[in-house]
């Protein structure tokens, strides 16, 4: 946002520009006063420009040097005009020579000012490369200046004092053009509204106008003189505008020179200069009627130069593409993503970032080798390409991490819809390796751009969301919400404390009855873990189970829960069962069957009274667990799919999995409102279970209406706050005893 003072200055400059144009128009009508009007306009611009530069230098704090040099340049131009006026009125050569020296100093000041603005320091080979590139541009510039300005003077005039000016001025222009080329080649010119861009364009026009003026002075061309005058005024306005841009915004002359990320067009400058130089030589050979004997030679050389420059441009394009492309998948890499995001931000294209982390990729790599791992990644890249429409950048930014840059995303819903589409497409297209089908699953974090947000913050937000998604379980997405914190540090602390939690007796198991919804009597109970931390108080399973899962502590803790639950089971009625959650990590343990059977044996609990709950993603993610489930089932243990319907798994899996019960996730139960739409998913699950001869248990029943609707739909078993919250072992025992008594009474 421009400051108030900045707006005032900008308005002043606009007024000045209008006055300058008016002056030039008057100059057109009155040829006598024309040059003086141009000089007067330039002097006024110089005064305003110098004042603005002083102010910008004072504001800039750390690097005022470039502003001081530009201010000095403008002052020397005023001095030059003063000396010109004196020389004109006195006719003395001394004043003329002084004027020449003063104007030469102006070029030096402007050029040094440009060099000081945003050039930074290159080292070693990169510095040599820059010098070579600037040298190429300098060579082409010298050819033009030689023909236009130097040669006519040197060939036609005898040496005298004024030579200083006639030779030094074109060389001064060349110096300014070199400075322009150096700034462009460094990649400092990336935004139009930056002081360095305005200044660079300004002195570029200045130098060209000056060369034109020298030429027209020799040829006495009125039109040329007029065009040069207009150009000089435009250059004066731009060089004045540069400090104004700095004053009206927070940017300084050397603000963020993007040295490493020069825009593509700027790197082509030396090649363009080579081609121009060659064509220029050819043109001069023709204009000067020197075709014999030079024509053929120049033509050949020009052809060579153009071909070499063209080849060089292609190589540059190739190496640029290599720099921003991921070799394995052909997607963009991190640099390509950064480029795309940078561009989308600058153009105001409403970007959003999705960070996609594959779940279980390491397992694929470990089990099938790197060649299959690579093919898997290429498959994912293909899925992403197919799932994303319109102008977006898709990148692989790490081993199994992908990113999608979306544009024209104005709200979370749009980003969420893309996430859902991608997850569904991945789930529907597993990778087939020989006889095995490897599911493709991922955790996605998404962040939508907001005004004022920079690219780094946007990516960090997506990363925070991705971590949340990852810890919430496999194959899901999380949209960044304001206030969402990066849980990595907190999780690390929890992981530390978890090591000692069992030893310190901080873990407790509570039991939520699973009831017959017709009678409300408990048929069984689900064991749910609680962590009573000595300092932090009660920590919910959602907070610590994902951490225990990652760190592996879930393995001893899970077996401990199983043991506690089986001990508790023995205190219940004989026909009751106990349901214990088994985490994906536990299922992957090679000794899991042995461990579960050992606990059954130790406690003396019968296997038919145990249900193991496994989340859908654990079943789908890892084929190795399925064999273990088959074995557990062969011992009479039943398997339930927990939170069924939330895992994006293909239903095809279900027909092949060793499963007895589907637990309908509470999010679907919460939707039951008597309408067919609300009951859609629950109805589908119950139908599916009937066809596959599975039983269903509804989770999270909170109202009698939900229980009634579930019964009508065909599900008569469930758990939820309507019947009981998770109970302590004592509370459960009391409840079971009471039910036993009431059952005995009714008998
Ligand atoms: P889950 O296995 O789906 O467990 C059901 C969750 O729903 C429990 O949350 C339970 O307290 C809650 N719940 C039950 N009825 C209602 C209701 O009517 N309304 C609402 N809003 N919620 C209800 P809890 O105890 O916080 O457990 C959360 C999750 O943590 C569990 O989801 C399970 O995935 C995991 N978990 C808990 N204990 C263990 C364990 O011992 N081992 C493993 N691996 N995971 C566990
Ligand atoms: Mg459960
Ligand atoms: Mg559940």
């Amino acid at each position: 946002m421009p400051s108030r003072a900045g707006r005032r200055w900008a308005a002043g400059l606009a007024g000045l520009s209008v006055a300058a144009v008016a002056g030039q128009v008057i100059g057109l009508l009155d040829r006598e006063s024309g040059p003086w009007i141009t000089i007067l306009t330039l002097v006024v611009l110089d005064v305003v420009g110098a004042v603005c530069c002083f102010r910008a230098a004072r504001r800039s704090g750390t690097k005022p040097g470039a502003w001081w040099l530009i201010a000095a340049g403008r002052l020397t131009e005023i001095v030059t005009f003063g000396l010109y006026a004196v020389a004109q009125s006195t006719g003395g050569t001394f004043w003329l020579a002084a004027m020449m020296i003063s104007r030469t100093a102006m070029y030096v000041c402007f050029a040094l000012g440009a060099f000081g603005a945003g050039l930074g320091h290159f080292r070693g080979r990169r510095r040599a490369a820059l010098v070579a590139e600037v040298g190429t541009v300098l060579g082409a510039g010298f050819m033009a200046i030689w023909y236009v300005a130097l040669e006519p003077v040197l060939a036609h005039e005898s040496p005298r004092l004024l030579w200083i000016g006639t030779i030094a001025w074109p060389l001064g222009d060349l110096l300014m053009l070199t400075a322009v080329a150096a700034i462009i080649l460094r990649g400092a010119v990336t935004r139009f509204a930056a002081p360095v861009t305005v200044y660079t364009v300004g002195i570029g026009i200045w130098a060209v106008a000056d060369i034109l003026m020298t030429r027209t002075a020799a040829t006495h061309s009125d039109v040329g003189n007029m065009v040069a005058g207009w150009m000089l005024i435009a250059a004066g306005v731009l060089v004045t505008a540069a400090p104004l841009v700095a004053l009206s915004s927070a940017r300084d002359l050397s603000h963020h020179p993007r040295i490493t990320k020069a825009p593509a067009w700027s790197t082509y400058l030396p090649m363009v200069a080579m081609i121009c130089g060659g064509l220029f030589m050819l043109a001069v050979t023709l204009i000067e009627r020197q075709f014999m004997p030079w024509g053929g030679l120049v033509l050949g050389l020009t052809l060579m130069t153009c071909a070499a420059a063209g080849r060089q441009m292609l190589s540059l394009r190739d190496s640029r593409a290599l720099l921003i492309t991921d070799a394995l998948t052909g997607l963009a890499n991190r640099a390509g993503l950064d480029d795309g995001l940078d561009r989308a931000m600058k153009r105001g294209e409403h970007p959003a970032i999705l960070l996609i982390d594959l779940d279980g990729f390491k397992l694929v790599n470990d089990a099938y080798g790197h060649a299959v791992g690579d093919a898997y990644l290429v498959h994912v890249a293909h899925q992403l390409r197919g799932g994303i429409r319109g102008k977006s950048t898709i990148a692989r930014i790490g081993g199994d991490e992908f990113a999608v840059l979306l544009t024209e995303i104005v709200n979370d819903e749009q980003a969420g819809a893309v996430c859902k589409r991608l997850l569904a497409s991945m789930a529907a297209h597993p990778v087939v390796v020989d006889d095995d089908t490897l599911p493709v699953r991922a955790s996605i974090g998404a962040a939508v751009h907001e005004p004022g947000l920079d690219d780094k913050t946007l990516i960090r937000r997506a990363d925070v969301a991705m971590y949340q998604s990852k810890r919430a379980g496999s194959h899901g997405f999380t949209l960044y919400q304001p206030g969402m914190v990066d849980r990595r540090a907190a999780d690390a602390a929890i992981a530390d404390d978890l090591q000692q939690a069992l030893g310190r007796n901080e873990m407790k198991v509570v039991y939520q009855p699973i009831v017959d919804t017709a009678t409300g009597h408990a048929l069984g109970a689900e064991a749910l873990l609680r962590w009573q931390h000595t300092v932090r108080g009660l920590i919910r399973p959602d907070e610590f189970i994902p951490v225990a899962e990652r760190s592996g502590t879930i393995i001893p803790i899970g077996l401990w829960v199983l043991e506690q639950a089986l001990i508790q089971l023995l205190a219940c009625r004989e026909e009751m069962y106990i349901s214990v959650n088994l985490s994906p990590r536990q299922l992957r343990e090679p000794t899991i069957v042995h461990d579960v059977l050992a606990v059954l044996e130790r406690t003396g609990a019968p296997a038919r009274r145990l249900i193991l709950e496994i989340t859908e993603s654990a079943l789908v993610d890892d084929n190795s667990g399925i064999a273990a489930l088959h074995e557990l089932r062969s011992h009479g243990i039943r398997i339930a799919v927990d939170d069924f319907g939330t895992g994006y798994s293909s239903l095809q899996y279900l027909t092949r999995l060793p499963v007895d019960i589907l637990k309908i996730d509470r999010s679907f139960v919460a939707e039951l409102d008597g309408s067919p739409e609300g009951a859609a998913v629950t109805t589908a699950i119950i139908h599916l279970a009937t066809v596959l001869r599975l039983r269903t248990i509804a989770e999270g029943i909170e109202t009698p209406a939900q229980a009634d609707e579930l019964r009508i739909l065909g599900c008569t078993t469930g758990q939820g706050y309507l019947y009981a919250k998770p109970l302590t072992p004592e509370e459960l025992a009391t409840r079971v005893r009471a039910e036993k008594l009431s059952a005995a009474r009714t008998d």
Side-chain angles (χ1 to χ4, degrees), residues 143-219:
M143 285 166 78
I145 281 176
W146 170 263
Y147 180 69
V148 175
L150 295 182
E151 193 269 348
V153 175
L154 294 173
H156 305 297
E157 288 185 26
S158 51
R160 53 200 172 103
L161 185 61
L162 295 186
W163 254 42
I164 311 170
T166 36
I167 292 177
W169 287 2
L171 288 176
D173 291 325
L174 189 59
L175 189 65
M176 292 212 293
L177 285 178
T178 309
V180 169
I183 290 183
I184 292 174
L185 286 167
R186 286 304 300 260
V189 174
T190 51
R191 319 173 39 110
F192 188 73
V196 69
T197 311
V198 178
Y199 180 66
T200 307
V201 175
I203 62 165
I205 295 178
W206 197 307
V208 174
D210 221 44
I211 296 167
L212 193 62
M213 202 146 234
T214 316
R215 179 75 185 173
T216 52
T219 56

Side-chain angles (χ1 to χ4, degrees), residues 16 34 54 61 71 115 122 131 162 197 220 249 271 307 312 330 338 373 401 474 541 599 654 728:
L16 213 62
F54 285 136
F115 279 121
F122 267 164
V131 170
L162 295 186
T197 311
H220 305 289
S249 68
M271 279 71 87
Q312 176 83 350
D338 287 349
E401 250 190 77
S474 170
V599 179
L654 208 58
T728 61

